[in-house]
Amino acid sequence: MSEAIRILGIDPGLRRTGWGLITVTGTRLAFVASGTVTSNADDALAIRLRTLHEGLTKVVATLLPDEAAVEETFVNKDAQATLKLGHARAVALLVPALAGLPVAEYAANLVKKTVVGAGHAEKDQVGAMVRFLLPKATADTADAADALAIAITHASHRAARARAAVQAAAAGPGAARIARAVARG
């Protein structure tokens, strides 16, 4: 039997950053923990980002994941909101990277397609499928459920990403760039 891999999924947000930890052994998924790091909307941006950094750092240090996966930024009509989400996403990428973890990124549509089967699924559909795939999951918020969905997506796609990286490395630097672009979706 293969060794269990601990995957931390992170759904970045400036107000609420969801996180979810699962284990994957072969094709078997198991829920470990989930939660939400919340910042105070009345605080300055720098303080809010520090709060997210401290919260995610504590999660990584306590739960000791092997790999991490972060949802890519969803660009909307409000450029200012997208920029602030980008700041939170940077923290979500930085914390596991500083801990020495490999970090994968997945588009929201790929997460929905992987977990629900449709790229434009609603949040409640994602939550329902997370509860189906991880019956012991106790996601306290939609953000935590989304983070578990991101971890599930990484569990589903990690082997293909690893194979593509090995093939690209063998083919040379140009092929490696192409493989990374393809893996991003």
Side-chain angles (χ1 to χ4, degrees):
M1 185 161 205
S2 56
E3 183 179 330
I5 303 296
R6 296 169 68 85
I7 299 173
L8 177 65
I10 302 173
D11 180 30
L14 190 55
R15 280 186 231 159
R16 292 176 308 276
T17 291
W19 59 269
L21 186 74
I22 65 171
T23 59
V24 59
T25 309
T27 58
R28 188 175 155 271
L29 302 175
F31 170 77
V32 177
S34 67
T36 308
V37 178
T38 306
S39 72
N40 185 337
D42 295 329
D43 287 345
L45 177 62
I47 301 302
R48 296 175 77 184
L49 294 173
R50 183 185 73 193
T51 300
L52 297 178
H53 182 274
E54 290 170 347
L56 286 176
T57 299
K58 183 177 179 181
V59 168
V60 169
T62 303
L63 298 176
L64 303 171
D66 298 308
E67 300 176 9
V70 178
E71 187 173 79
E72 291 180 349
T73 300
F74 176 80
V75 179
N76 59 37
K77 294 176 185 172
D78 182 354
Q80 195 69 347
T82 301
L83 182 60
K84 287 180 180 178
L85 175 58
H87 294 320
R89 189 170 173 281
V91 171
L93 291 166
L94 179 65
V95 169
L98 287 173
L101 302 177
V103 182
E105 303 172 66
Y106 295 97
N109 282 349
L110 180 60
V111 173
K112 292 173 182 178
K113 188 171 186 175
T114 301
V115 175
V116 178
H120 297 286
E122 299 294 326
K123 269 196 179 291
D124 59 336
Q125 291 174 296
V126 172
M129 282 306 296
V130 165
R131 286 188 299 278
F132 177 77
L133 295 168
L134 302 169
K136 296 182 181 178
T138 55
D140 59 346
T141 65
D143 302 293
D146 287 349
L148 287 168
I150 294 161
I152 292 167
T153 299
H154 183 60
S156 177
H157 292 273
R158 64 188 292 277
R161 290 173 70 101
R163 280 192 303 276
V166 168
Q167 291 170 350
R177 284 193 304 277
I178 293 168
R180 282 193 300 274
V182 169
R184 281 194 297 266

